[in-house]
Amino acid sequence: MMLSFFDQFASPTYLGIPLIALALSLPWILYPTPSNRWLNNRLLTLQAWFINRFTQQLLLPLNIGGHKWAMLFASLMIFLMTLNLLGLLPYTFTPTTQLSLNMGLAVPLWLATVIIGMRNQPTIALGHLLPEGTPAPLIPVLIIIETISLFIRPLALGVRLTANLTAGHLLIQLIATAAFVLFPMMPTVAILTSTVLFLLTLLEVAVAMIQAYVFVLLLSLYLQENV
Amino acid sequence: MLSRLALVSASALKSSGPLGAGLVQASRSIGTSPQSLAPVPPLPEKGGQVRHGIIPEELFQFLYPKTGVTGPYMLGTGLLLYLLSKEIYVINHETFAAASIGIVIVYGIKKFGPSVAAFADKLNEEKVSKAQEVKDLAVKSLTEAIEEEKKEQWRAEGRQMLFDAKRNNVVMLLETNHRERLHMVTNEVKKRLDYQIDVQNLHRRLQQEHMVDWVEKNVIKSITPQQEKESIAKCITDLKKLAQTAKATA
């Protein structure tokens, strides 16, 4: 059976058991539970510090109504970042390369923000469809454009995450294959390719963290508009 | 959840016949537990010892009696060679990717590990120092309060002397007052007595003068004109005699 480069993105099953469930739930064990102690070990201290700082920064522009989403945002960020970073290890499967998962995260959350806006402050929510200071003749066109932009948002959220991670993983595979194939034939070129691979890995680490952050940040922005 | 299971099974055992009740008597009664969360056992100072970042020291200690110092390394090398030679682990493109990410991880940990650990320690240290500050402040303010209290006690002792002095003052004032009044009384009495004396003197003088006047009047009355003439003639003769003597001596 010929292996293509896209087989790494096939959702793994074993004897009919979808292993994506394990891939989604096992990263949880990497994070220790906060204990009753006042002074904890280093891992717990750093974890608590990071989550506190991140949530504080993210919730700065939100008003009190938006603070209800604090736990969701913090856990979503940690979840996505862990999944992305663990996917960079060899022979691992990254669940966030699956469009189904990312759309499953993006669409309900985006829809929640829209519905909250429409229910609590429909005028303001609809008012976002028309930016301030548009000249009068442009208004109808702009409303259509803004509506399209509104409905593209969940698609963009999901596809952005999927595409970034899939592209990154594919590139790593391709360049690693190139280095592997060139190694017996032209070692110097293989070393150059390995350098490219090293740099790409660094980029992918950054991308993994940034994409998770961007996902959560955009959701908080959508919430800010509507709450 | 398991404790609930134990409770349910315990109550089931209790209600199930004569033997069940006897069995449950041996176990602990419901509502108490030998476990206790306090005091919390202290955290170990350092984490588990590892060699080369991931292999626990306990493996080396475990293998040391039988295989010495190089035992675990021989085990590792042998295992690796076995996996490679039997193609249980196939070297493919993922190996390169693994090497790449491995270098990134090792470099990251070596470079940023100590600083991150120091940062975590600093966070804990700040927590402790804040609490320590509160405690030190409280201790300091209490010590100062003790000092103030001692000073107040010393002042209270000193107040006794103040009271004695004031008491003396008052006594002296009273004494002075008393003496002044005595003086005044004496003066008044003396004045009255002096008055009486003056009155008596006045009486005596008046009596004397009156008597003298009466005597004079009587004498003058008793001098008859005959006697008057005689006395005047006598005086003239006396005077003449005197003039003669005077003329004689001069």
Side-chain angles (χ1 to χ4, degrees), chain A residues 12-72:
Chain A
T13 56
Y14 181 69
L15 300 177
I17 308 169
L19 295 176
I20 192 168
L22 285 174
L24 285 173
S25 51
L26 282 179
W28 163 79
I29 60 175
L30 291 172
Y31 296 98
T33 318
S35 72
N36 297 334
R37 292 173 183 271
W38 180 49
L39 293 173
N40 297 310
N41 56 8
R42 285 170 178 168
L43 184 56
L44 204 47
T45 313
L46 287 169
Q47 174 185 309
W49 171 84
F50 175 71
I51 293 181
N52 282 335
R53 283 297 298 268
F54 170 76
T55 316
Q56 177 195 344
Q57 283 297 315
L58 196 67
L59 262 58
L60 267 180
L62 286 174
N63 60 7
I64 291 289
H67 288 189
K68 291 186 220 163
W69 288 60
M71 196 177 85
L72 182 68

Side-chain angles (χ1 to χ4, degrees), chain A residues 37-38 40 42 91 173 176 201, chain B residues 41 92-93 100 121 124 127:
Chain A
R37 292 173 183 271
W38 180 49
N40 297 310
R42 285 170 178 168
Y91 302 106
Q173 296 292 331
T201 313
Chain B
N92 51 12
H93 61 284
S100 181
D121 287 340
N124 273 354
K127 248 183 173 180

Side-chain angles (χ1 to χ4, degrees), chain A residues 4-211:
Chain A
S4 77
F5 283 112
F6 293 97
D7 283 339
Q8 60 180 314
F9 303 122
S11 183
T13 56
Y14 181 69
L15 300 177
I17 308 169
L19 295 176
I20 192 168
L22 285 174
L24 285 173
S25 51
L26 282 179
W28 163 79
I29 60 175
L30 291 172
Y31 296 98
T33 318
S35 72
N36 297 334
R37 292 173 183 271
W38 180 49
L39 293 173
N40 297 310
N41 56 8
R42 285 170 178 168
L43 184 56
L44 204 47
T45 313
L46 287 169
Q47 174 185 309
W49 171 84
F50 175 71
I51 293 181
N52 282 335
R53 283 297 298 268
F54 170 76
T55 316
Q56 177 195 344
Q57 283 297 315
L58 196 67
L59 262 58
L60 267 180
L62 286 174
N63 60 7
I64 291 289
H67 288 189
K68 291 186 220 163
W69 288 60
M71 196 177 85
L72 182 68
F73 284 153
S75 48
L76 191 63
M77 167 72 172
I78 300 284
F79 182 57
L80 289 176
M81 210 167 72
T82 316
L83 289 179
N84 292 349
L85 284 172
L86 282 177
L88 288 170
L89 297 172
Y91 302 106
T92 50
F93 170 70
T94 321
T96 38
T97 52
Q98 306 295 306
L99 186 65
S100 53
L101 188 110
N102 295 340
M103 292 305 281
L105 285 172
V107 171
L109 293 174
W110 162 84
L111 195 60
T113 61
V114 167
I115 290 177
I116 285 175
M118 286 296 174
R119 271 192 71 188
N120 298 344
Q121 39 187 41
T123 325
I124 300 178
L126 284 172
H128 282 301
L129 290 178
L130 187 66
E132 278 182 35
T134 47
L138 282 174
I139 291 179
V141 186
L142 210 54
I143 300 220
I144 297 175
I145 292 176
E146 288 287 333
T147 316
I148 296 174
S149 146
L150 178 71
F151 282 98
I152 281 261
R153 277 180 185 175
L155 208 66
L157 269 179
V159 172
R160 180 186 300 109
L161 192 55
T162 316
N164 266 296
L165 261 77
T166 317
H169 282 255
L170 261 177
L171 265 176
I172 289 180
Q173 296 292 331
L174 280 168
I175 298 183
T177 313
F180 173 62
V181 165
L182 284 171
F183 192 63
M185 294 195 280
M186 292 183 270
T188 40
V189 182
I191 289 173
L192 279 172
T193 322
S194 302
T195 319
V196 174
L197 180 63
F198 176 69
L199 294 171
L200 184 68
T201 313
L202 282 174
L203 178 70
E204 280 309 307
V205 169
V207 162
M209 295 194 277
I210 289 169
Q211 284 306 316

Side-chain angles (χ1 to χ4, degrees), chain B residues 83-123:
Chain B
L83 291 173
L84 285 173
S85 66
K86 287 271 197 181
E87 299 249 314
I88 296 173
Y89 176 70
V90 179
I91 294 193
N92 51 12
H93 61 284
E94 293 261 18
T95 316
F96 279 77
S100 181
I101 191 83
I103 291 174
V104 168
I105 290 175
V106 168
Y107 177 71
I109 289 181
K110 280 214 147 48
K111 180 115 187 278
F112 301 111
S115 61
V116 167
F119 177 70
D121 287 340
K122 192 167 72 83
L123 286 175

